[in-house]
Amino acid sequence: MKLVRGAWKLLVGIKDALVLVAMLLFFGALFAALSARPNPRGIKDGALVLDLAGTIVEQPEDAQFDFGGNDSPRQIRLRDLVRAIDAAKDDKRVKAIVLDLDSFAGGYPAAVGEVATALGRVRASGKPVLAYATGYTDSGYRLAANASEIWMNPMGGIMFAGPGGSQLYYKGLIDKLGVNVHVYRVGKFKSFVEPYTRTDQSAEARAASQALYGSLVTDWKDAISKARPKAQAAQFLAGPGAAVAATQGNIAAANLKAGLVDKLGDRLSFDKRVAELVGQRSGKAAGSFNAIRYADFVEANPLPTSGDAIGVVTVAGDIVDGKAGPGTAAGDTISKLVLDGLAEKKLKALVVRVDSPGGSALASETIRLAILEAKAQKLPIIVSMGSVAASGGYWVATAGDTIFAEPNTITGSIGIFGIIPTFENSLKKLGITADGVKTAPLSGQPDVVGGTNDEVDGILQAGIEHGYRQFLSRVATARKMTPEKVDSIAQGRVWDGGTARQIGLVDRFGTLKDAIDEAARRAKLDPTKVHAEYLEKKPGWFSKFAADFGRKDDDEEATPSGDAFSRIAQQRRAVFAQALGDVRRLATGAAVQARCLECGGLAPAAPSSADTTLMGIVLARLGL
């Protein structure tokens, strides 16, 4: 009998193995078939189509299959997009650039601004740039303003919102549940804890946000005015109601009258216009024009690999402890990438690209120490701030010799804090109490069911204050200031890049390319004879397969974004989902963090998989 059972188990094992092998062969063959596209270097004449259906990010997350039916936005890598636009400017096969902004979900101001500047270079060269959308958002119009022709569906419209909006505050809910929130903080502007300790915004946080958002909206208006002088964007932002009322509620007509768009027409009319410029596809219906797919064009214009190597490490997304994939700045992962790059890549300099609102203080220090290994090897270290380099992001930046930023980079927020909720009052409402034997002042502390005591409160507050002094010391050493001077501009306050340069937190304005060129010069190299060696994990075959699987065919139509009201509703829903995602990150984050609250309010809105249950929000331990 044992022999029979053994033989049966063997047969079942063989069957399972054969099924697994068959599945692997199937998916491998499917991946090969989907990858077997024509040689992308065989680009034919036509319009380069930039279908920006998604968000512009510094470092996309690994592509994944979505089996839950959710329509997750695509993430478009900033450096690839700018490289493609610049290559299109001088490529004779590219007769025009088409901006499809119907489903554009935005990006941080600095990232959107860099793409807009690249589009402006194409238009200045005399090559047509045409934009189309049913309705334009603030970010979408920042791009479209650099087009030579702006088209909009007559059923759509533009309604500028400007930066800012509502922030959720949980204090009322926390009080009703009897939760006792213990806050340990330094800095009157460190507003990240306020949603858990207040029912509204403090005067200090309001003043800081008004200054930051005011600077960003001024930059937006100036950029629009420079790119499109006839557009009455500032007036439409300040008083849209009167402009729309003057056209009896016809938003599109009001936009046209204000010079915001050149032509009202549906997509077919727009496509016919593009076909006039670049030619109609042979044998296709009216409105089908000769198109160059973005993915193929990027692949046909790879990053250079000749010359000496300038290492570029990307610190993008929330800074967390341990390991993580692209789009999250995990301390151990990035540290290993830097150390391996220094050991294996024969680097001549190191550029640190920071695009993070902060996170774990421990992980930030782990990354900083790894970067300092490059300094120990006498390599120049240049920091390039992207859209946001605040809190833990600025902590990392202190390792650099020189810091580049954009005028609308969000930076600063020098401060740390911590939050620990305890539930002794919540449990009492249920008739539950806590008691026990304690052999030392810290026995069972911090006690989330019985409450903290003065001893642990004093220790935790002292630890936060010590961490803040460490932060000040690192900034003071890096920026050649006194700790007292740093403290006067720190206190957790967030600054725009222009102000940050004035107060000494940033050295120069410039893009990532400018930082790489500076790194080459400091290494005594010709900037035209070096290449960027990106220190990042290459995507695996499954990620490539998932990305290719989700790639649109030429004949696949874009998903319409809806009218102006639909766009506003989409944005509000996404903002709420993002707020829940922020709560989840707090609940699962490190105990001591350096994170920026204002940065989240400017991030491109995206759906979140956050735990939206009441207890999921309240009962978890909150990081700073």
Side-chain angles (χ1 to χ4, degrees), residues 99-186:
L99 277 175
D100 187 342
L101 298 168
D102 225 9
S103 299
F104 181 49
Y108 274 111
V112 174
E114 187 172 347
V115 176
T117 300
L119 291 168
R121 290 193 290 267
V122 177
R123 188 182 69 176
S125 73
K127 187 165 291 189
V129 179
L130 296 92
Y132 179 86
T134 303
Y136 291 93
T137 61
D138 296 22
S139 294
Y141 195 78
R142 177 73 175 86
L143 299 180
N146 290 271
S148 46
E149 292 183 28
I150 303 179
W151 285 62
M152 188 174 70
N153 193 299
M155 298 294 289
I158 305 171
M159 293 177 66
F160 297 133
S166 297
Q167 166 69 41
L168 291 177
Y169 288 81
Y170 310 113
K171 173 63 173 170
L173 172 62
I174 288 172
D175 287 345
K176 287 183 178 180
L177 294 174
V179 178
N180 189 5
V181 177
H182 303 263
V183 175
Y184 313 95
R185 60 178 284 184
V186 180

Side-chain angles (χ1 to χ4, degrees), residues 16 79 153 208 262 300 331-332 427 500:
D16 290 343
R79 70 171 186 254
N153 193 299
D262 296 303
D332 292 346
L427 295 174

